[in-house]
Amino acid sequence: MNTVNQITKTNDFNKIALERRSIKKYDPTVKISREEMTEILAEATRAPSSINLQPWRFLVIESDEAKATLLPLAMFNQRQVETASAVIAIFGDLRHEENADEIFNAAVEAGHMPADVRDQQLPFAKAYYENISDAARKDIALIDSGLVAMQLMLVARAHGYDTNAIGGYDKTKIAEAFGMEKDRYVPVMLLSMGKADSEGHGSGRLPVEKVAEWK
């Protein structure tokens, strides 16, 4: 087994963001503990979201049984599933506004929000979601879950682990395969996580002049 490095945490932004690689094969002997994975997810959920309603939901697939369930759905990414310490299935909760009271009340208790602001904003948030279209609701869930997915990749790297975002899987079956409500939880992506078995490949990017313009 060719493990590149020991697990080393870092706060170096360049190493975290600019040296990140998409890893296709992991050292299967490296396991992320439940405690550390909880810490990683907690740090990732500091990502922003619309009205702070946090529509993301995570399914941490780490046991042999769960991986066996995922394998036939992962199509062209089976090696990642087999060797990763875990594969996190990220979903958007289409009824995430049901947590509004809990979130706003917790913000007041923590001193992040005055009670009068909560009493003003909470009815507004509930009224907004009562009238929102299904398409707009889904857009919010997907955009916010995309934000947390990127943050999760960066947090994992800060903890010394590697990742790869996976879109090649059967999104029509994954929720039901793991006993989740298909009509409530919309699949966003899979994220494999573990320790790289070998160095990932670098990749080029279009120049800024190609992707941005100033007015």
Side-chain angles (χ1 to χ4, degrees), residues 20 22 24 48-49 73 83 114 127 135 148 158 163 167 170 187 195 198 209:
R20 183 197 61 78
S22 294
K24 311 296 186 183
S49 62
L73 306 178
T83 60
V148 84
T163 58
D170 193 337
K195 186 60 189 175
S198 58
E209 292 76 13

Side-chain angles (χ1 to χ4, degrees), residues 55-155:
W56 43 71
R57 298 294 178 265
F58 306 106
L59 176 65
V60 182
I61 300 168
E62 60 178 3
S63 69
D64 291 341
E65 294 78 10
K67 286 186 174 185
T69 300
L70 178 60
L71 274 172
L73 306 178
M75 293 177 276
F76 308 112
N77 297 284
Q78 296 193 346
R79 185 170 64 173
Q80 294 186 59
V81 173
E82 292 172 333
T83 60
S85 178
V87 178
I88 296 90
I90 302 172
F91 295 86
D93 181 358
L94 296 179
R95 300 206 299 269
H96 55 273
E97 79 278 6
E98 293 179 4
N99 296 305
D101 285 289
E102 178 182 351
I103 291 169
F104 277 72
N105 290 335
V108 172
E109 292 173 9
H112 300 316
M113 178 186 293
D116 62 326
V117 174
R118 173 200 58 197
D119 296 341
Q120 198 173 45
Q121 291 188 356
L122 188 54
F124 168 80
K126 290 181 177 180
Y128 174 76
Y129 274 91
E130 285 176 1
N131 296 289
I132 196 172
S133 69
D134 290 342
R137 182 186 293 269
K138 184 176 180 180
D139 282 345
I140 291 171
L142 291 175
I143 290 170
D144 290 352
S145 296
L147 289 172
V148 84
M150 187 68 246
Q151 181 128 321
L152 180 54
M153 285 187 270
L154 298 178
V155 169

Side-chain angles (χ1 to χ4, degrees), residues 4 11-12 25 27-30 39 65 72 86 109 111 113 116 118-119 122 139 148 156 161 187 191 204 207 211-212:
V4 179
N11 291 318
D12 185 324
K25 185 173 183 289
D27 181 345
T29 67
V30 175
E39 184 180 349
E65 294 78 10
E109 292 173 9
M113 178 186 293
D116 62 326
R118 173 200 58 197
D119 296 341
L122 188 54
D139 282 345
V148 84
Y161 300 109
L191 190 67
V211 299

Side-chain angles (χ1 to χ4, degrees), residues 5-78:
N5 293 306
Q6 298 298 315
I7 305 301
T8 305
K9 292 187 177 184
T10 180
N11 291 318
D12 185 324
F13 177 80
N14 284 344
K15 286 188 174 297
I16 292 170
L18 304 183
E19 296 181 16
R20 183 197 61 78
R21 299 288 184 268
S22 294
I23 298 301
K24 311 296 186 183
K25 185 173 183 289
Y26 301 88
D27 181 345
T29 67
V30 175
K31 302 300 180 184
I32 303 173
S33 69
R34 179 77 57 95
E35 180 182 26
E36 186 172 19
M37 182 63 80
T38 299
E39 184 180 349
I40 289 170
L41 292 173
E43 292 171 3
T45 59
R46 298 298 297 272
S49 62
S50 180
I51 325 180
N52 193 33
L53 291 185
Q54 307 161 50
W56 43 71
R57 298 294 178 265
F58 306 106
L59 176 65
V60 182
I61 300 168
E62 60 178 3
S63 69
D64 291 341
E65 294 78 10
K67 286 186 174 185
T69 300
L70 178 60
L71 274 172
L73 306 178
M75 293 177 276
F76 308 112
N77 297 284
Q78 296 193 346

